[in-house]
Amino acid sequence: MVRPDDKLEVSPTGRATCRICKTKIAKGSVRAGIQHLYEGTNWYCKYYHTDCLKTTSIGISIWKKAKLPPELLLKQKGGNDLSRMNLLDLGVSKIEKKKRVSDSTIRERTDLRERLRQLRLIIARRLDYPPYCVFHDTTLDALVLQLPSTKAELLKISGFGLKKTATLGPCILPIIQGYKRKQLTSPTTRTNSKSSSSNYGAVPSLDDEEIEVVGEVSNEQLIDQVFEEAEKLGNVISL
C-alpha cells in the first residue's frame, strides 16, 4: 500500500493532541501530520507540534523518516539539499505567511463573512440542525477567501458535495456574486447601475453558471424563495 505524503498544515479545530507532549495543538497553529501504518494494512495520520519535532529526540527521529510533501522537496541555490530541520522551518514559515495573508483578507471581508454566517444560522434553525452541520467555520472562511460564484466553483470548496451545492448554492451564490460585483464595479458604473452594485442578489436557477444580481434580497427572503421553489417541485430540503 502506497504511503500518503506527510503534511504541514494549520490546525483547523484545536481538537488534535500532539503524540509527543500529549497536549492539544492550538487552533490556527501549524501542525505536522505524519502517516503511520496501522496493523500493516492502513495508513493513518498522527499529529505533532512542529516544535516537538525539532526539540525532542523522538520528534527528530520521526521527522527524519517523514515522507516530505512535494512543496518541501526544495534545493538550495548551490544545488545541495536543505536539511530536514531547515525544510521543517521553511514549511512552517510558508504556511504562517499564507495564513497571515488569509486572515488579513477575511478581516477585509468581514461584512461578507457575517452575512454568510447569519445565513448559515437561519438555515440551521429552519432545518433544526446545529450551524456546523450546515457548514463548518473553516468552510465559511474558504467561501470568503475563494469567493465562488458558480456551482462548479462551489464544488471545489471543502465541505460542499453535489447535494449540499444543490441545496445551499441558491442561497450562497447570489450573496457572493453580489459582493464581487459591488467590489469590482467602478464608481462610474455604480452611478449608472446603483441597484445591481449595492445588492447581494436574487435566487438563481441551479442550471445557471453565472448568477445575475437583479435586486436586493435579504437572507430570509433568499431562504424563503429557495424553500418555496423546492416545495413547488415536490423536493425536500435536506443536507
Side-chain angles (χ1 to χ4, degrees):
M1 181 178 292
V2 177
R3 173 178 173 166
D5 289 335
D6 297 326
K7 56 190 176 182
L8 293 174
E9 64 183 11
V10 175
S11 175
T13 64
R15 293 197 296 265
T17 298
C18 174
R19 294 304 183 100
I20 295 176
C21 68
K22 308 302 181 184
T23 61
K24 295 290 184 181
I25 302 172
K27 179 180 179 179
S29 63
V30 180
R31 69 184 184 183
I34 308 297
Q35 299 291 336
H36 293 265
L37 194 60
Y38 178 70
E39 294 185 350
T41 56
N42 294 307
W43 292 99
Y44 72 104
C45 199
K46 292 182 180 180
Y47 293 104
Y48 303 87
H49 290 114
T50 55
D51 282 346
C52 289
L53 293 181
K54 293 189 294 183
T55 60
T56 65
S57 58
I58 187 172
I60 292 171
S61 175
I62 290 170
W63 181 247
K64 284 182 177 179
K65 298 176 183 177
K67 182 178 181 181
L68 296 177
E71 62 269 20
L72 290 186
L73 296 177
L74 306 173
K75 295 182 180 297
Q76 291 177 315
K77 290 183 179 179
N80 298 320
D81 290 339
L82 289 169
S83 73
R84 281 280 172 144
M85 290 303 135
N86 285 340
L87 281 172
L88 180 57
D89 289 336
L90 177 62
V92 171
S93 177
K94 289 172 70 73
I95 291 173
E96 288 177 341
K97 181 179 179 180
K98 184 177 179 180
K99 183 176 183 298
R100 286 195 297 271
V101 173
S102 298
D103 289 347
S104 176
T105 301
I106 291 172
R107 285 195 298 270
E108 292 172 0
R109 299 172 180 172
T110 299
D111 56 340
L112 174 62
R113 190 181 191 279
E114 180 59 20
R115 177 82 192 266
L116 291 172
R117 192 187 70 81
Q118 290 294 331
L119 179 79
R120 178 180 66 176
L121 182 60
I122 296 169
I123 293 172
R125 289 172 176 170
R126 187 73 65 93
L127 297 177
D128 196 24
Y129 288 157
Y132 66 83
C133 286
V134 179
F135 50 81
H136 197 274
D137 280 352
T138 53
T139 302
L140 173 60
D141 289 341
L143 289 170
V144 174
L145 286 170
Q146 298 181 37
L147 298 179
S149 56
T150 67
K151 292 178 295 178
E153 292 172 353
L154 188 58
L155 279 167
K156 295 177 182 179
I157 302 290
S158 177
F160 277 88
L162 289 171
K163 184 176 182 181
K164 188 165 287 189
T165 297
T167 302
L168 302 183
C171 300
I172 292 172
L173 294 178
I175 291 175
I176 294 176
Q177 184 70 3
Y179 176 84
K180 290 169 72 173
R181 293 193 181 188
K182 181 179 178 181
Q183 298 300 309
L184 295 175
T185 303
S186 67
T188 303
T189 306
R190 284 202 297 270
T191 301
N192 295 332
S193 56
K194 183 177 180 181
S195 61
S196 66
S197 64
S198 61
N199 298 321
Y200 279 54
V203 177
S205 162
L206 281 178
D207 294 328
D208 290 340
E209 285 303 320
E210 290 295 335
I211 310 306
E212 182 179 1
V213 182
V214 298
E216 185 172 3
V217 181
S218 68
N219 282 346
E220 290 81 1
Q221 289 172 315
L222 275 171
I223 295 169
D224 286 342
Q225 290 180 48
V226 170
F227 274 72
E228 288 171 6
E229 184 66 24
E231 187 176 348
K232 290 178 183 178
L233 297 173
N235 297 331
V236 177
I237 295 290
S238 67
L239 301 177

